[in-house]
Amino acid sequence: MRDKREKVPNKIDERPASNIEVSYANKLGIHLPENATRSDAKALIARDLDNDEKASSSLLEYARRKGMLCSDYIGNKALHNQLFDNLSEKDKIKFFCFCVYKFYWNDQNEDMENHSKKELFEAFGEQFAKDGYFKVSMEEYLGEELVAFGKSKRIVNGIEKTIYGGSAHTRAHNEAYRYLKANES
């Protein structure tokens, strides 16, 4: 059953970090940058509490080109949530396929718009935008589940960890994986 997490809003709070946020960050051992905004403080605190790593600069640039408003310090899982919750339906389908590709092909390029396989992701989006069963299956995922699929080992903040990603047994996952395998070159 899908987590009851609320949709991540596409907004940013540029007011200075509150005294409560600064105090809490200090208790966690987080040093907030000078002139940190409330969004910066929330992003750094969330990264620590969620054991999340900083989002890559290329994924952050992609997100900003897609109109996402977020702190420079946002975590990888948090940015995947924001993207998956706020992209248009067609972009969301392309992003899903892109995430499957990144994981199984161990691809470090996280900028979908400047990726060598961009046309492949776009063709997938065109084809599956009309598939209601695929879309229902895809909607069962949370954005953070697209960082990995199934159980795997990953280096998070310099430490090897076992992580549990999204299901590798859904129609959406299987369609994306089969499509990518069939079009591998």
Side-chain angles (χ1 to χ4, degrees):
M1 183 170 172
R2 185 179 169 122
D3 187 1
K4 299 296 181 193
R5 180 186 60 79
E6 290 184 29
K7 182 177 174 180
V8 176
N10 187 27
K11 67 178 186 176
I12 194 162
D13 188 343
E14 296 200 4
R15 294 178 292 172
S18 70
N19 291 336
I20 292 171
E21 290 165 330
V22 171
S23 175
Y24 188 49
N26 287 337
K27 285 181 184 176
L28 294 172
I30 300 168
H31 174 71
L32 294 179
E34 191 174 322
N35 301 321
T37 66
R38 288 189 178 187
S39 289
D40 295 338
K42 287 177 184 175
L44 287 164
I45 290 167
R47 272 179 37 201
D48 184 73
L49 295 175
D50 294 340
N51 199 23
D52 196 2
E53 59 193 338
K54 185 177 187 219
S56 71
S57 59
S58 56
L59 186 62
L60 193 53
E61 287 304 313
Y62 167 73
R64 289 193 169 135
R65 282 194 306 276
K66 288 297 180 181
M68 299 303 126
L69 305 171
C70 52
S71 166
D72 289 340
Y73 303 100
I74 192 168
N76 191 41
K77 292 187 288 188
L79 187 54
H80 276 76
N81 282 334
Q82 187 168 352
L83 280 161
F84 207 58
D85 285 353
N86 293 287
L87 286 171
S88 70
E89 182 178 87
K90 193 175 278 187
D91 282 341
K92 189 175 188 175
I93 294 168
K94 292 187 287 188
F95 184 69
F96 183 87
C97 182
F98 172 64
C99 289
V100 171
Y101 182 83
K102 283 190 313 177
F103 179 71
Y104 289 105
W105 278 261
N106 198 26
D107 191 332
Q108 301 303 309
N109 179 0
E110 295 198 285
D111 186 345
M112 189 170 70
E113 289 186 329
N114 293 310
H115 198 283
S116 62
K117 303 282 186 184
K118 176 184 176 183
E119 290 79 23
L120 185 64
F121 308 135
E122 288 176 348
F124 180 85
E126 290 293 326
Q127 180 177 337
F128 285 90
K130 301 171 188 103
D131 186 333
Y133 293 111
F134 172 85
K135 291 189 288 189
V136 167
S137 177
M138 182 185 71
E139 289 299 331
E140 291 299 315
Y141 287 89
L142 301 173
E144 65 193 59
E145 294 174 322
L146 305 182
V147 171
F149 293 90
K151 179 181 172 182
S152 61
K153 298 277 185 194
R154 187 176 177 121
I155 305 295
V156 178
N157 297 324
I159 301 168
E160 184 177 86
K161 298 202 175 225
T162 299
I163 60 168
Y164 299 90
S167 174
H169 303 289
T170 65
R171 179 182 182 129
H173 170 275
N174 294 337
E175 293 282 8
Y177 184 78
R178 276 195 296 270
Y179 183 89
L180 291 165
K181 269 308 236 189
N183 292 286
E184 196 173 27
S185 53

